[in-house]
Amino acid sequence: SQQGEEDPQALSIQEGENATMNCSYKTSINNLQWYRQNSGRGLVHLILIRSNEREKHSGRLRVTLDTSKKSSSLLITASRAADTASYFCATETSGSRLTFGEGTQLTVNP
Amino acid sequence: DGGITQSPKYLFRKEGQNVTLSCEQNLNHDAMYWYRQDPGQGLRLIYYSQIVNDFQKGDIAEGYSVSREKKESFPLTVTSAQKNPTAFYLCASKLKTGVSGQPQHFGDGTRLSIL
């Protein structure tokens, strides 16, 4: 079953703008992870936020987690054309498996 | 360089045929996973293995089979019982079994189509 729902399904912005993607989930989690997928390729891990954390940064990425609302957001600042990809959230409730959302397709126009 | 290698990149299946997708990792990871991705959708878990000679069904295991005879290898067989096998198949691994908070590492996928 798909625990994560992502919003929006697709996002198109201009280079230099910020991109925000949201993820909602249904059950309690240990952590939430964000992955990136370039067209026709495998997923690449971007950032992980644990259930006791509220915000985390990595370079141009900022992730927030609100466990009371069961939601997370991924912010990409100063976007570049190379950021064009699909972005997926994934939740981990035990140490054995992840449950992925449907993804947000981000297009950054030069 | 360590990583996960999936082969072949493209695969075609005839009606009634079983096909096997290869997944090999040299990361010394304990856990391995197989996912199916349909166009414009997220990943759905087919099977996963936390240790050699053991594996568990995921959410969509029907029509698929796996084996884990070696730590490095986790092949997936798409059987003739899988009536809609056309999809992008992704293999992943994780360092330690049963430990939360570790990322999964992915191969570059196999695209399977019906002839």
Side-chain angles (χ1 to χ4, degrees):
Chain A
S1 61
Q2 297 291 331
Q3 159 145 263
E5 292 185 5
E6 294 181 63
D7 163 54
Q9 287 189 327
L11 180 61
S12 182
I13 59 174
Q14 296 300 121
E15 213 166 19
E17 294 180 341
N18 295 343
T20 299
M21 289 159 267
N22 303 296
C23 170
S24 61
Y25 56 92
K26 297 173 185 172
T27 64
S28 295
I29 60 172
N30 287 348
N31 63 78
L32 186 145
Q33 304 177 28
W34 285 90
Y35 288 80
R36 166 194 168 126
Q37 183 181 34
N38 285 42
S39 181
R41 302 295 299 273
L43 277 69
V44 175
H45 181 260
L46 294 176
I47 194 166
L48 180 152
I49 187 164
R50 300 182 191 278
S51 60
N52 61 354
E53 297 176 310
R54 292 296 167 259
E55 187 172 315
K56 205 162 182 180
H57 297 254
S58 176
R60 293 185 296 114
L61 304 180
R62 173 180 167 247
V63 171
T64 62
L65 180 64
D66 187 334
T67 53
S68 66
K69 294 182 179 177
K70 293 186 169 58
S71 68
S72 173
S73 67
L74 172 68
L75 169 67
I76 304 174
T77 61
S79 63
R80 306 165 181 167
D83 293 328
T84 294
S86 292
Y87 292 82
F88 295 91
C89 67
T91 54
E92 186 172 41
T93 54
S94 68
S96 60
R97 56 173 289 175
L98 293 175
T99 302
F100 285 84
E102 299 281 315
T104 293
Q105 171 62 50
L106 173 65
T107 302
V108 181
N109 301 299
Chain B
D1 282 343
I4 298 181
T5 301
Q6 289 189 242
S7 62
K9 193 168 179 62
Y10 300 97
L11 188 58
F12 298 91
R13 195 192 88 170
K14 295 180 182 178
E15 293 287 341
Q17 187 181 45
N18 293 353
V19 291
T20 297
L21 285 60
S22 170
C23 177
E24 302 278 331
Q25 55 100 356
N26 61 4
L27 299 167
N28 199 31
H29 284 183
D30 287 342
M32 296 187 75
Y33 305 81
W34 273 107
Y35 295 94
R36 170 180 172 140
Q37 185 177 32
D38 291 284
Q41 296 189 27
L43 278 63
R44 292 185 289 169
L45 184 64
I46 305 172
Y47 268 99
Y48 63 105
S49 168
Q50 301 188 76
I51 196 170
V52 173
N53 292 322
D54 187 44
F55 47 83
Q56 289 79 40
K57 293 182 179 180
D59 300 320
I60 55 165
E62 186 174 350
Y64 300 97
S65 66
V66 293
S67 63
R68 185 90 186 274
E69 297 177 0
K70 298 186 301 181
K71 187 174 185 177
E72 302 80 17
S73 178
F74 190 41
L76 173 74
T77 296
V78 184
T79 75
S80 56
Q82 173 49 246
K83 298 305 180 189
N84 183 24
T86 297
F88 189 49
Y89 291 87
L90 286 160
C91 179
S93 69
K94 191 179 81 163
L95 179 61
K96 286 296 180 188
T97 295
V99 175
S100 184
Q102 297 177 340
Q104 290 187 11
H105 298 254
F106 283 80
D108 268 341
T110 293
R111 192 166 300 279
L112 175 63
S113 303
I114 292 272
L115 278 179

